[in-house]
Amino acid sequence: MRNDHDLHDHHGVKNMSAIFDLASSSPSKEISIDGRSFFVKVLNAFERDVFESQWLKVKQADSVIGIRAFMVAFCLCDSDGKKEFDSGEQAEPCQEFKEAVEKIGNLPAGKIQPLFSAAMTVNGFSDEEVDELEKK
């Protein structure tokens, strides 16, 4: 049985090392489409917050941009997890990113869906959360 004393190290600070063990061993997940490899970034908590904040800004602007293209652009990366498209640090994504999203949105849905599904899965988005984000 653990007691409160077990949660503290020799400095009296809570031992949080267990939470850091949750970090993914891989910064990305490989997806194959038509024999080509693509990578989807495993977002950290801050990146997911930026994703949601920027998506809501785009959605509130009555944009025609869809969540599938937005999520794929936000999560597409190289094998080391370096993002292919940088949305910026602001509450609203930069114009260059929005242009990339529009181009992705014009690609065949059947080619984008595997990347969207992988991005949802590796980043813990439930169908209900995505539905809610689409409605906001």
Side-chain angles (χ1 to χ4, degrees), residues 18-86:
I19 193 77
F20 300 118
D21 292 339
L22 297 175
S24 174
S25 59
S26 174
S28 64
K29 176 176 176 54
E30 186 173 4
I31 307 297
S32 180
I33 301 173
D34 293 340
R36 295 185 62 197
S37 289
F38 296 89
F39 296 89
V40 172
K41 183 167 180 52
V42 176
L43 302 176
N44 63 37
F46 292 123
E47 291 168 327
R48 178 160 170 176
D49 289 343
V50 169
F51 168 84
E52 290 181 12
S53 173
Q54 289 183 346
W55 167 251
L56 291 176
K57 271 288 200 203
V58 166
K59 189 67 177 160
Q60 289 169 353
D62 290 326
S63 172
V64 295
I65 293 174
I67 195 164
R68 282 167 184 71
F70 192 89
M71 186 178 288
V72 168
F74 197 90
C75 295
L76 202 61
C77 66
D78 65 16
S79 60
D80 294 324
K82 183 176 185 264
K83 292 172 76 172
E84 296 288 338
F85 306 105
D86 184 4

Side-chain angles (χ1 to χ4, degrees), residues 2 6-7 9 13-24:
R2 265 178 104 153
D6 294 333
L7 295 175
D9 66 14
V13 178
K14 283 190 176 184
N15 182 354
M16 296 295 290
S17 65
I19 193 77
F20 300 118
D21 292 339
L22 297 175
S24 174

Side-chain angles (χ1 to χ4, degrees), residues 97-117:
F97 178 79
K98 289 192 265 187
E99 289 169 7
V101 172
E102 287 184 35
K103 289 178 183 177
I104 290 170
N106 285 315
L107 296 173
K111 306 293 183 187
I112 297 304
Q113 189 61 38
L115 295 168
F116 175 69
S117 296

